[in-house]
Amino acid sequence: MSVVAASIYRDGHAVPDPSQPPEAPWLLRHGEFVWIGLFEPEEDELVTLAQRFGLHPLAVEDARVAHQIPKLEVYGEQLFIVARTARLEGDEICYGETAIFVGPNFIITVRHGSARAHTELRKQLEASPERLKHGVDFVLHGVLDFIVDGYAPIIDAIEEEVLALESRSLDCPLDKDEIHRIFRHRRHLTRFGRMLGPMQEMSAKLEHLDLPCVDPEMRPYFRDINDHVRRVEARVGGLREVLRSVFDVGMLIEQQQQSIVTRKLAAWAAMLAVPTAIAGIYGMNFEHMPELNWAYGYPTVLVVIAVVCAVLYLRFRKAGWL
């Protein structure tokens, strides 16, 4: 059985009740609602819940088959919401999914691939009975807020590494492994940003639209979720820009160092060209050449070579090439 937890709530307090399977009648009195949490349920379990609570078949199918985009759909007096969870494992961002059925007196959460259970969330919500007695929309807000809060640690961890790469790129050119990390982070952030767009649209609907099972008094709470998603989305965009600038700066520094090496090689080549040219001239085997019979011809040529090379060295040193 994939039912992780199931509780009936009355006036913000959990009703003392033995754990009930999905096929239980779940007889609810006025002012009560039930919160059922499932983790990767079997198809027959969802069918049983669909028959008990009148869930729409299309919503049940979406909850059974994971890999849905974040969305909000209205089926009569019920809401069906899909939210994407995310966590960081090493350098990889791993995604999960939470489908939420919301009715007038029930809320059912179906988790797929999400490592963060709702156990602590239940305890936090049950610790605020004055707010929990508001009903299913308060639980819905708590679940979505729990999911969205999981995004920030991912961005914090990536941001620390990106800042370290930025500092490193200012000191020396990036090596092959660092360049691979830059493109890996850009790929993950691009995918993360594509997920945040639909999440922002879904939270905006909860904030602005008149929806069943959602009291207008809860809109400020859903606005807070929308703000959190927008802030994360803005940080993702900012990190992608920083990664682009880190790569550009790294390439510029590498080009600058290559230019310095090229200038040094050109300067030494120019200085070596002088003795090479003079030696080449005197290496030609002609009978009549100037100063061949002069006693001071050889030392004079050496002095001329040394003076010219010294002048070139000083000029290149002054120009910053050496």
Side-chain angles (χ1 to χ4, degrees):
M1 188 65 65
S2 62
V3 177
V4 178
S7 300
I8 297 175
Y9 295 91
R10 181 193 310 139
D11 295 327
H13 297 277
V15 177
D17 190 85
S19 179
Q20 303 186 56
E23 61 269 17
W26 291 104
L27 299 176
L28 301 175
R29 296 186 241 172
H30 179 72
E32 294 182 342
F33 70 90
V34 61
W35 178 8
I36 303 174
L38 299 95
F39 179 72
E40 298 181 355
E42 299 294 334
E43 183 175 1
D44 57 341
E45 295 174 308
L46 286 176
V47 170
T48 300
L49 288 175
Q51 294 173 348
R52 169 62 187 87
F53 294 100
L55 307 180
H56 197 279
L58 293 178
V60 174
E61 180 66 18
D62 287 344
R64 184 181 67 84
V65 181
H67 309 297
Q68 303 290 324
I69 63 172
K71 61 182 178 180
L72 184 152
E73 295 178 349
V74 180
Y75 295 103
E77 293 301 313
Q78 298 181 8
L79 292 178
F80 176 67
I81 297 169
V82 176
R84 297 299 301 272
T85 61
R87 66 186 186 279
L88 193 63
E89 293 186 359
D91 289 337
E92 298 288 331
I93 300 179
C94 300
Y95 296 92
E97 182 178 309
T98 300
I100 309 170
F101 299 90
V102 185
N105 59 355
F106 69 87
I107 179 167
I108 303 171
T109 57
V110 182
R111 294 188 295 118
H112 290 278
S114 175
R116 299 176 67 208
H118 293 165
T119 305
E120 292 300 322
L121 174 63
R122 280 183 181 265
K123 293 180 180 178
Q124 293 175 9
L125 296 182
E126 290 174 355
S128 304
E130 289 299 319
R131 300 170 67 183
L132 186 59
K133 71 179 182 180
H134 199 282
V136 293
D137 48 1
F138 179 73
V139 177
L140 172 62
H141 164 265
V143 173
L144 293 178
D145 188 57
F146 178 79
I147 292 172
V148 172
D149 283 347
Y151 298 160
I154 298 174
I155 302 302
D156 291 339
I158 295 178
E159 187 176 49
E160 289 297 323
E161 187 169 358
V162 169
L163 293 177
L165 283 173
E166 183 181 38
S167 177
R168 170 87 165 75
S169 68
L170 296 175
D171 297 329
C172 58
L174 301 173
D175 58 31
K176 184 177 180 180
D177 181 64
E178 289 170 332
I179 293 175
H180 285 174
R181 283 160 57 193
I182 287 176
F183 281 95
R184 184 166 60 248
H185 284 315
R186 286 184 62 179
R187 182 174 65 252
H188 291 328
L189 289 173
T190 298
R191 185 182 177 192
F192 197 29
R194 287 200 299 265
M195 183 270 290
L196 289 173
M199 281 292 294
Q200 196 272 330
E201 292 178 8
M202 181 266 291
S203 58
K205 290 180 180 178
L206 288 168
E207 176 188 354
H208 297 292
L209 299 182
D210 290 326
L211 299 171
C213 308
V214 177
D215 197 298
E217 295 180 4
M218 288 297 298
R219 289 184 180 178
Y221 293 92
F222 292 114
R223 181 169 61 245
D224 181 65
I225 292 177
N226 194 16
D227 290 341
H228 287 177
V229 176
R230 281 196 301 237
R231 283 199 294 270
V232 173
E233 194 172 19
R235 291 181 66 187
V236 168
L239 284 177
R240 290 174 60 188
E241 290 298 323
V242 171
L243 284 171
R244 185 179 294 111
S245 66
V246 167
F247 180 76
D248 292 341
V249 168
M251 292 300 101
L252 286 174
I253 291 178
E254 184 173 1
Q255 291 174 6
Q256 183 185 35
Q257 291 197 350
Q258 289 177 350
S259 177
I260 292 173
V261 173
T262 302
R263 289 199 299 266
K264 288 183 178 181
L265 292 175
W268 286 111
M271 287 188 289
L272 289 174
V274 173
T276 301
I278 296 176
I281 292 173
Y282 279 90
M284 294 185 292
N285 297 317
F286 291 106
E287 183 179 353
H288 303 288
M289 293 189 69
E291 316 302 342
L292 283 180
N293 297 319
W294 184 34
Y296 300 104
Y298 181 71
T300 301
V301 170
L302 293 180
V303 170
V304 169
I305 291 175
V307 170
V308 173
C309 289
V311 171
L312 289 175
Y313 178 83
L314 293 174
R315 291 293 301 274
F316 286 133
R317 188 66 179 269
K318 184 177 181 181
W321 285 37
L322 292 174

